[in-house]
Amino acid sequence: LSLFISILAYPYLCLPQTLTLCHRKAVIKNPCSQKHMEPFSLVDGRMACKVSSTLNKEYGKQNMFDGSEETCWNSAEGSPQTVLLDFKRTIAPHSLVFVFQGGFAGRECAAAGLDQHGNQLWTSNFTPTDTSLPQIFPLEPCGPANSLRIQFLSSTDFFGRIILYKLDVLGREVA
């Protein structure tokens, strides 16, 4: 919770390969291993993504990962909306980073770690703020997983739409 508050105090969050707050590297306590580590993005070309719906091809899932502030994933109407990330390897995620469009943010959300067969290993609930600023949520409890299922159980939009400009998963790979 204190990390989330820190992010709100420093709205200029940069996430190239390390988490930077006001040009200082931040060290986040990893709840999976209880060790300190410099976080890095687990999102790369090996990862596959599926979403429950898309408004149209212009607002496709690939836009969450392209690094552009101009493009986004826009779901169709209805709740819940789901994003499934298959990392094709074992990872130890410890936090999620979102940039929503204000007015179209997730309200009640859950992330679940899945094994290579799709069996749920753990779940972590979080509640985003209805803002266009970057938000980071620690995954607690968490552990190793091969895939993440992120569910937006409800939305701040009356019709249940989600608009997401950025989605990132911070953590480490498991050997």
Side-chain angles (χ1 to χ4, degrees):
L1 182 60
S2 63
L3 177 60
F4 178 69
I5 293 169
S6 297
I7 296 301
L8 290 179
Y10 300 98
Y12 299 103
L13 173 67
C14 304
L15 290 166
Q17 286 298 314
T18 62
L19 176 65
T20 306
L21 301 173
C22 291
H23 308 290
R24 296 184 310 223
K25 288 185 180 177
V27 176
I28 298 175
K29 187 174 182 185
N30 181 344
C32 296
S33 66
Q34 297 302 313
K35 295 179 182 176
H36 285 77
M37 63 175 284
E38 186 174 316
F40 64 93
S41 176
L42 295 169
V43 172
D44 62 20
R46 296 176 282 181
M47 182 196 76
C49 177
K50 293 181 183 179
V51 293
S52 54
S53 70
T54 300
L55 183 63
N56 63 44
K57 290 183 181 183
E58 181 183 353
Y59 301 106
K61 61 190 176 191
Q62 70 280 0
N63 295 335
M64 293 185 285
F65 311 108
D66 66 3
S68 172
E69 295 178 1
E70 302 295 323
T71 61
C72 62
W73 167 60
N74 190 341
S75 75
E77 294 180 4
S79 292
Q81 295 292 333
T82 303
V83 175
L84 180 64
L85 304 174
D86 182 358
F87 291 92
K88 312 283 188 205
R89 62 199 186 277
T90 304
I91 59 161
H94 62 79
S95 55
L96 298 173
V97 179
F98 296 99
V99 178
F100 293 99
Q101 170 67 49
F104 298 89
R107 183 175 290 156
E108 297 171 327
C109 305
L114 310 175
D115 67 14
Q116 65 269 24
H117 305 294
N119 300 314
Q120 185 170 313
L121 303 170
W122 50 264
T123 187
S124 179
N125 298 317
F126 56 97
T127 307
T129 302
D130 187 11
T131 181
S132 298
L133 295 174
Q135 301 179 63
I136 187 166
F137 299 96
L139 297 173
E140 295 176 355
C142 68
N146 292 81
S147 300
L148 285 180
R149 181 180 59 230
I150 303 166
Q151 290 190 299
F152 304 101
L153 304 171
S154 63
S155 170
T156 58
D157 174 56
F158 180 75
F159 297 103
R161 295 169 292 189
I162 300 291
I163 298 179
L164 195 51
Y165 283 86
K166 179 181 179 113
L167 169 59
D168 203 354
V169 180
L170 302 179
R172 62 182 173 83
E173 292 187 29
V174 176

